Amino acid sequence: MQGTYFEPCKITWSEFRDRFDELRYPNLKPGTVQCYESTFNRLELLIIPHRLSQINTMAVARFQNKLRGLGNADTTVAKHLRHLKAALTWAKSMEFIPKLPVFNMPKRGKHQRLMKGRPITDAEFQRMLDAVESVVGSESAQSWRDLITGVALSGLRIDEALALTWHRSSKLFVDLASSEYPMFRIQSDGEKGGKDRLLPMTPDFAQFLDEIGYQESGFVFKPGRVKNGKKQEFRRSIVWVSKIGSRIGECAIVKVGDGAHKKYASFHDLRRRFGQKWASVVMPQTLMHLMRHESIETTLRYYVGLDATRIAHELWTSWP
């Protein structure tokens, strides 16, 4: 970029993306970079900007409306707007644009809201395990069942599950030495909250690790190659593995949401299953640590539907 000057209103959208990639991405976590890329790609598809200056207040409003028109939830729309606003704020600080557009973020309710998906039931969980072979093939079926079971028992996010290793030099590993109990140790650069953490492991997940066999090194979960017609493919990327998980949920016909687009169970719904299961056993503060939430409000969502179900059960069982 040295020796290059962009006049306000003259820098193209493509040039802006190149500069953002060169100067901003190196300071961000891979997951955050992926979020920015997703927002930029959506913007290009829906708005088709030629110059950066075309992303004005009117264009932002159009982008927001088109996202809604595609059936995106308010939380998804707000996420894209937050990333776009952050990117344009950086562009203004670099004097690529003269002023920041106005962003009218979707309003969020002041009260607790139910989560977008839902925790799947034990029967649905078993259906997903049964559907694995028809999606990935017989050779890799057990490795994918291990991943599904591991996420359901550990509460790990899918990126964390893929990063989990047996050896201490990694960002996220199984720690058997720091305590009398098995633990997760998460280094700050491998964790969403950006903190070094030693976290308790639930007994059922520790038992599961014992069943699959403790190792000296390597990844804990090693999902195998997936059949694709006459070929087999594998990419150890969050996006690709997540797509396979959603295909398994769809094959098992486990629907967790309706609307403009039917939503089938994903790895994150397995994490929700973990949250609801332990919400009936432990206090909110404990669950907050198990789920590694930054805010107790996020954790309390697991108690909204749980309390309603418990109260309904008491009403119906006490009815003469």
Side-chain angles (χ1 to χ4, degrees):
M1 178 168 175
Q2 187 175 5
T4 303
Y5 173 72
F6 295 105
E7 294 182 43
C9 304
K10 293 293 181 70
I11 180 173
T12 67
W13 172 253
S14 178
E15 288 169 339
F16 166 71
R17 288 198 65 167
D18 289 342
R19 299 290 79 74
F20 200 82
D21 188 348
E22 174 189 353
L23 302 175
R24 192 74 184 97
Y25 281 167
N27 301 317
L28 302 176
K29 295 180 180 179
T32 305
V33 171
Q34 188 177 28
C35 288
Y36 275 111
E37 287 290 287
S38 175
T39 296
F40 292 162
N41 291 338
R42 290 289 184 93
L43 186 73
E44 289 183 3
L45 179 66
L46 300 177
I47 302 300
I48 318 177
H50 175 62
R51 296 193 180 279
L52 181 62
S53 60
Q54 292 176 316
I55 312 301
N56 54 24
T57 300
M58 181 63 74
V60 169
R62 284 173 49 221
F63 182 48
Q64 182 172 350
N65 289 337
K66 288 191 175 186
L67 285 172
R68 278 207 178 100
L70 291 174
N72 288 287
D74 281 350
T75 50
T76 302
V77 174
K79 180 185 70 174
H80 285 303
L81 292 181
R82 283 196 303 271
H83 284 99
L84 180 59
K85 184 176 182 180
L88 293 181
T89 299
W90 178 84
K92 184 176 182 298
S93 73
M94 299 296 290
E95 299 183 351
F96 291 160
I97 55 175
K99 66 178 183 178
L100 192 67
V102 175
F103 284 77
N104 294 311
M105 306 298 288
K107 302 294 183 182
R108 298 188 62 181
K110 296 181 180 179
H111 303 290
Q112 289 179 335
R113 297 170 61 185
L114 294 173
M115 55 196 80
K116 290 187 294 183
R118 64 169 176 81
I120 64 174
T121 66
D122 290 344
E124 290 170 333
F125 174 65
Q126 186 59 52
R127 293 216 310 266
M128 288 186 69
L129 293 178
D130 294 340
V132 167
E133 185 171 336
S134 62
V135 175
V136 306
S138 57
E139 292 183 8
S140 300
Q142 188 56 50
S143 64
W144 283 88
R145 290 193 194 101
D146 287 344
L147 178 61
I148 289 172
T149 304
V151 171
L153 294 179
S154 67
L156 292 171
R157 300 176 178 91
I158 186 57
D159 58 325
E160 295 167 340
L162 291 174
L164 184 65
T165 71
W166 298 105
H167 51 89
R168 300 179 63 87
S169 60
S170 64
K171 297 178 181 178
L172 172 60
F173 60 91
V174 175
D175 190 343
L176 304 177
S178 299
S179 170
E180 61 180 304
Y181 301 106
M183 295 279 186
F184 294 113
R185 183 174 288 277
I186 307 178
Q187 312 287 7
S188 60
D189 55 351
E191 206 271 330
K192 186 176 179 180
K195 302 176 183 177
D196 286 333
R197 302 195 189 191
L198 184 65
L199 297 170
M201 183 184 297
T202 57
D204 53 353
F205 182 65
Q207 181 179 358
F208 170 74
L209 291 182
D210 188 51
E211 291 171 357
I212 64 175
Y214 288 95
Q215 305 292 324
E216 292 294 328
S217 62
F219 290 110
V220 173
F221 299 108
K222 304 171 184 176
R225 300 177 71 83
V226 174
K227 66 177 184 180
N228 183 10
K230 295 183 178 180
K231 300 180 181 178
Q232 287 189 325
E233 59 181 15
F234 176 74
R235 295 189 293 276
R236 197 179 181 87
S237 73
I238 301 167
V239 174
W240 187 81
V241 172
S242 296
K243 286 182 179 179
I244 300 301
S246 296
R247 280 171 54 187
I248 292 170
E250 183 175 0
C251 183
I253 319 178
V254 180
K255 290 191 289 186
V256 296
D258 291 306
H261 302 282
K262 291 181 180 179
K263 187 179 187 305
Y264 291 94
S266 65
F267 282 111
H268 203 68
D269 295 301
L270 296 171
R271 176 172 154 84
R272 292 186 175 107
R273 178 180 185 268
F274 171 89
Q276 187 182 68
K277 178 180 73 173
W278 287 100
S280 64
V281 178
V282 301
M283 297 297 290
Q285 197 69 28
T286 302
L287 184 62
M288 178 181 172
H289 286 291
L290 284 176
M291 301 289 289
R292 299 171 313 287
H293 289 150
E294 288 295 306
S295 167
I296 191 65
E297 283 75 19
T298 303
T299 309
L300 289 174
R301 293 180 191 172
Y302 289 89
Y303 291 84
V304 177
L306 188 68
D307 286 347
T309 303
R310 177 181 55 79
I311 293 169
H313 176 74
E314 292 179 6
L315 290 173
W316 284 83
T317 55
S318 62
W319 181 255

